[in-house]
Amino acid sequence: MTAQTDLLLAQRAAASIPEEPQPESATPSLTYSSSDEQEIEEPTKPVPRRRRASTRLIAKSPEDVQRITGETTTQLIRRCCGGGCCLGGAPKKDNNVEYEAIEFPDNDAYRSLNLKIDKIPTTLSGVCDVPEQTAFLQPVRRPSNVPSPSEPAVPFGTESDTTSSVAGIETTLQDLTLERLDTQIQPPKFVQPHPPHHVFPARIHNTRELTKPGAEKRTFHFDLDVTNYPEGEDVDFKVGGAIGVSAPNEASIVQEILDLLLVPRFLRDKPVLLRTTQGRWPTVWGADQAREIVTTRRDLLTWCSDVQSYPPTKQILRVLAEHTTDATERKILRYLCSAEGQGVFCDFRTGPHISLVQLLHAFPNAKPPLDLLLSVLQPLMPRFYSLSNDPHESFLTRDGKQHRLIEIAVTVHEAEDWRNGTRTGIGSGFFQRQALKFIEAQEKGEKDPEFYIPMFKGLMANPLAKQFVSDGPMLLIGAGVGIAPFRGFVQRRLKTANCANKVWVLQGVRDSLVDELYSGEWGVHEDEVKKVVQSRRGPGRYVQEEVKAQADLVWYIINAVDGRVFVCGSSRGMGEGVEKALVEVAMEKGNLEHDEAQQFWNLKKETGQYIAETW
């Protein structure tokens, strides 16, 4: 778009900008009227001209891909099996190919995979190669330059030689010992997020469930004590910021995997030398290089490798095929790794996520070495959670000392599970387990239960935090746990005089009786600044519909000096719906065409007045 077009667009929008309210006039407010219960008519769309071409461009940017598929390009690539089935990579059916009927594994885990296999070709083509092993577990042995306990500690020589030898031996021994960290509450130090951050075990001061029985999803609130958070990172907690959390795999799942792989119990917590040949693993964002680290098998599986969040890859299946003692299992696994089995594999991979435990139960005779399996598993990445309070004003006196607290809200996500019906995500499941154990300990009479969340100062400068300003009107639009960071915004704003008429909140919920978050915890002016929109109670209305109903308020805020519109929540449904509603508001109030209205909001995004944080 040319500069002249931008100027014309700005002039047309400016002609419809409401004037700054005069002292005697009232600032636009949230509308509460009988019209709230009426159906909102969709704007009449012009009939598109017929196209002569037989093909039509439907996606030319990552945003188009997400709009059409409901996934980001990164998610789409991860979901894709990479085998080329979508590009016609599977071979054409050949009537001359011989097939053999096999007896499939008779266990619940295999049946839960829902593999659409009838017969398997006797000859397979395009079977993926055995993946390269990049991680090796070796015993920790005393180096030759370190004397045994029966030998003199250092050789005879000059004093300087003696001092140098002692220092070298101490360094060597230190490199071959485990860190003195309690890895039950925090990961090993080498699991470092992006420098200079280090994981800190923040003690849970208090936790409670925000939702009530009957809610579709459970959400928990946490007060975390960060009084002793290490200094020197040159970044502080911010309103609207987020923390990173290094959540571990569930201890019982780790134990079960070690059992299924027949790892002896006496070796699971014994120090072992991990040698990697390339890559960042087992760090999070470390350099791509070879490493030698002393750790334990349990710590690696607990803190470093993701065992349930990603669909199975052909590399994992190929490793299982190479290390099963059962011929039938090998045929099935190799078939899934072949060109002939590409379609079956694609259906298998794009269905419900299959966990590592499920695969090991489905193919019980596959016992690959742990270090080879670690070479092909995805790394366990941190999860990020927005602060739900003003971290600059949250302090508590306990035991005669002042403690600093930060607050977050976590919604528990569940997925299908072959054994228990549902399973929780790694991050949200960890939070739920910690919350329930803390609450149970309190109910048993424990005064100060000790439970921790391994966290670090993560995205303190995320878009929500960077664009927060102390003045100017703000409209905060969120649904579900996406409303949490806005609570901190409102807490900060309402501490400033005459700001009650400069911040508005539209909160989308399913049913306010069971899943409205932080009701009554927004400040003294909550009823004036916040409106709750329920989709499953009464007439039912989604937050994006309320955005269109509040068109006057939206248009006033986005065109005011320092005015900002924030959106936070799930991109599916809510995020896309709100963006569409905002475009329609600009078309109605700014007298703009559809493309011009989209460009208007894109320009507001570039100037930091329209901020959307969706996932």
Side-chain angles (χ1 to χ4, degrees):
M1 183 173 290
T2 64
Q4 184 178 2
T5 307
D6 285 342
L7 178 61
L8 177 61
L9 174 59
Q11 289 174 344
R12 293 185 60 183
S16 303
I17 295 175
E19 297 181 357
E20 185 74 21
Q22 301 300 319
E24 64 272 15
S25 64
T27 305
S29 61
L30 292 172
T31 305
Y32 293 85
S33 64
S34 57
S35 63
D36 289 350
E37 300 180 2
Q38 299 175 1
E39 290 287 333
I40 297 179
E41 296 182 359
E42 294 287 338
T44 304
K45 297 182 179 178
V47 180
R49 290 182 301 173
R50 297 185 63 182
R51 298 175 60 93
R52 297 181 61 186
S54 59
T55 59
R56 183 178 182 182
L57 176 65
I58 62 172
K60 59 181 180 180
S61 68
E63 290 75 16
D64 290 339
V65 173
Q66 185 167 2
R67 172 177 55 80
I68 295 167
T69 66
E71 298 176 306
T72 64
T73 51
T74 301
Q75 291 171 329
L76 188 62
I77 291 171
R78 285 179 177 172
R79 184 176 66 81
C80 178
C81 61
C85 58
C86 54
L87 301 175
K92 295 181 180 179
K93 188 173 181 180
D94 187 349
N95 294 329
N96 296 323
V97 174
E98 294 184 2
Y99 292 84
E100 63 174 323
I102 62 173
E103 186 175 345
F104 298 105
D106 185 18
N107 61 71
D108 291 338
Y110 179 82
R111 285 187 285 271
S112 71
L113 300 181
N114 295 317
L115 294 175
K116 301 182 175 101
I117 302 176
D118 183 16
K119 297 179 180 180
I120 293 179
T122 54
T123 303
L124 299 175
S125 63
V127 178
C128 70
D129 295 333
V130 178
E132 177 186 1
Q133 183 170 354
T134 58
F136 300 86
L137 297 177
Q138 301 172 346
V140 177
R141 292 190 174 92
R142 181 179 294 272
S144 58
N145 66 324
V146 177
S148 65
S150 60
E151 297 175 343
V154 294
F156 293 103
T158 63
E159 183 176 350
S160 60
D161 291 339
T162 302
T163 303
S164 176
S165 299
V166 171
I169 292 172
E170 289 179 348
T171 301
T172 303
L173 289 175
Q174 185 177 7
D175 291 341
L176 295 176
T177 57
L178 286 173
E179 299 170 307
R180 294 183 178 179
L181 289 176
D182 185 355
T183 53
Q184 292 186 346
I185 64 173
Q186 67 183 105
K189 192 174 181 180
F190 60 76
V191 184
Q192 181 188 17
H194 51 87
H197 304 296
H198 286 278
V199 180
F200 168 73
R203 185 173 176 177
I204 299 176
H205 170 72
N206 196 21
T207 184
R208 56 193 167 93
E209 187 170 357
L210 293 174
T211 48
K212 298 178 178 61
E216 188 169 311
K217 294 182 179 180
R218 303 180 76 178
T219 300
F220 291 88
H221 170 86
F222 291 84
D223 296 290
L224 303 180
D225 190 335
V226 294
T227 307
N228 298 320
Y229 193 95
E231 298 180 357
E233 295 189 0
D234 197 28
V235 62
D236 195 12
F237 300 101
K238 296 182 180 180
V239 176
I243 60 171
V245 173
S246 296
N249 290 309
E250 188 174 355
S252 61
I253 292 178
V254 171
Q255 185 77 356
E256 185 174 7
I257 293 173
L258 294 172
D259 288 341
L260 291 169
L261 295 177
L262 303 180
V263 177
R265 290 183 178 270
F266 75 92
L267 289 179
R268 298 178 184 183
D269 297 294
K270 184 177 181 179
V272 64
L273 178 64
L274 169 68
R275 183 172 60 85
T276 65
T277 58
Q278 62 184 16
R280 293 180 172 181
W281 189 86
T283 69
V284 178
W285 289 302
D288 185 344
Q289 63 183 30
R291 289 178 172 80
E292 287 191 356
I293 298 171
V294 177
T295 180
T296 69
R297 292 170 174 82
R298 188 185 303 276
D299 284 349
L300 288 173
L301 206 51
T302 298
W303 297 101
C304 303
S305 295
D306 196 317
V307 299
Q308 71 173 57
S309 303
Y310 297 92
T313 62
K314 286 189 176 182
Q315 287 74 21
I316 293 177
L317 299 180
R318 191 73 170 90
V319 166
L320 296 181
E322 288 300 302
H323 292 87
T324 179
T325 57
D326 183 83
T328 298
E329 291 181 4
R330 185 179 302 106
K331 290 178 181 178
I332 296 172
L333 290 164
R334 284 178 56 84
Y335 174 68
L336 292 173
C337 297
S338 70
E340 288 76 12
Q342 183 64 55
V344 176
F345 173 76
C346 198
D347 291 340
F348 163 65
R349 181 176 165 84
T350 56
H353 283 186
I354 307 298
S355 67
L356 179 60
V357 167
Q358 187 173 354
L359 278 178
L360 294 175
H361 275 288
F363 302 99
N365 296 291
K367 310 291 182 185
L370 178 60
D371 49 5
L372 178 56
L373 196 58
L374 292 172
S375 298
V376 295
L377 288 175
Q378 296 284 350
L380 183 54
M381 301 300 290
R383 274 66 173 163
F384 294 91
Y385 301 90
S386 297
L387 301 184
S388 63
N389 70 323
D390 181 354
H392 303 290
E393 303 291 338
S394 184
F395 294 91
L396 177 77
T397 301
R398 186 181 65 190
D399 302 330
K401 300 178 182 178
Q402 189 179 55
H403 293 257
R404 187 180 187 185
L405 304 179
I406 58 172
E407 302 176 20
I408 60 173
V410 179
T411 293
V412 180
H413 295 279
E414 295 183 335
E416 294 182 18
D417 183 70
W418 67 282
R419 201 162 38 183
N420 303 315
T422 60
R423 69 167 183 262
T424 58
I426 290 179
S428 62
F430 169 67
F431 273 102
Q432 178 176 247
R433 292 191 299 274
Q434 295 297 84
L436 294 179
K437 287 188 289 188
F438 185 95
I439 294 171
E440 181 182 9
Q442 282 186 322
E443 292 174 348
K444 290 181 178 179
E446 291 188 35
K447 186 177 180 181
D448 293 311
E450 287 195 35
F451 295 95
Y452 296 85
I453 301 296
M455 51 77 64
F456 59 93
K457 291 179 180 178
L459 301 175
M460 291 291 104
N462 64 4
L464 296 181
K466 285 194 293 186
Q467 298 301 337
F468 174 78
V469 292
S470 58
D471 201 2
M474 292 194 311
L475 176 61
L476 312 174
I477 306 168
V481 76
I483 206 71
F486 297 152
R487 178 170 169 256
F489 283 12
V490 174
Q491 288 178 348
R492 169 60 66 89
R493 276 300 189 87
L494 295 186
K495 286 177 180 149
T496 306
N498 300 321
C499 276
N501 64 340
K502 288 188 177 181
V503 57
W504 296 266
V505 181
L506 296 180
Q507 179 179 6
V509 301
R510 295 181 178 87
D511 185 340
S512 63
L513 295 181
V514 295
D515 59 11
E516 179 184 350
L517 306 185
Y518 294 119
S519 177
E521 300 181 42
W522 292 77
V524 293
H525 300 284
E526 178 172 338
D527 293 339
E528 300 175 27
V529 304
K530 183 166 73 78
K531 182 172 184 180
V532 177
V533 184
Q534 304 180 85
S535 62
R536 299 187 184 177
R537 177 168 286 274
R541 195 175 202 170
Y542 291 101
V543 69
Q544 52 263 39
E545 296 175 302
E546 188 62 29
V547 169
K548 290 190 286 185
Q550 304 288 348
D552 289 337
L553 178 63
V554 173
W555 197 242
Y556 158 71
I557 291 175
I558 198 59
N559 290 293
V561 177
D562 284 334
R564 279 165 169 73
V565 173
F566 292 83
V567 179
C568 189
S570 172
S571 59
R572 293 189 180 184
M574 191 284 293
E576 296 171 348
V578 168
E579 184 172 344
K580 179 182 177 184
L582 291 174
V583 169
E584 293 176 0
V585 168
M587 292 172 63
E588 175 190 350
K589 296 299 178 180
N591 194 27
L592 302 174
E593 297 296 330
H594 184 272
D595 290 347
E596 294 174 328
Q598 280 190 324
Q599 180 64 9
F600 171 83
W601 286 106
N602 288 338
L603 291 172
K604 293 298 182 181
K605 225 180 233 187
E606 292 176 6
T607 58
Q609 287 187 270
Y610 169 43
I611 304 95
E613 186 76 359
T614 58
W615 54 85

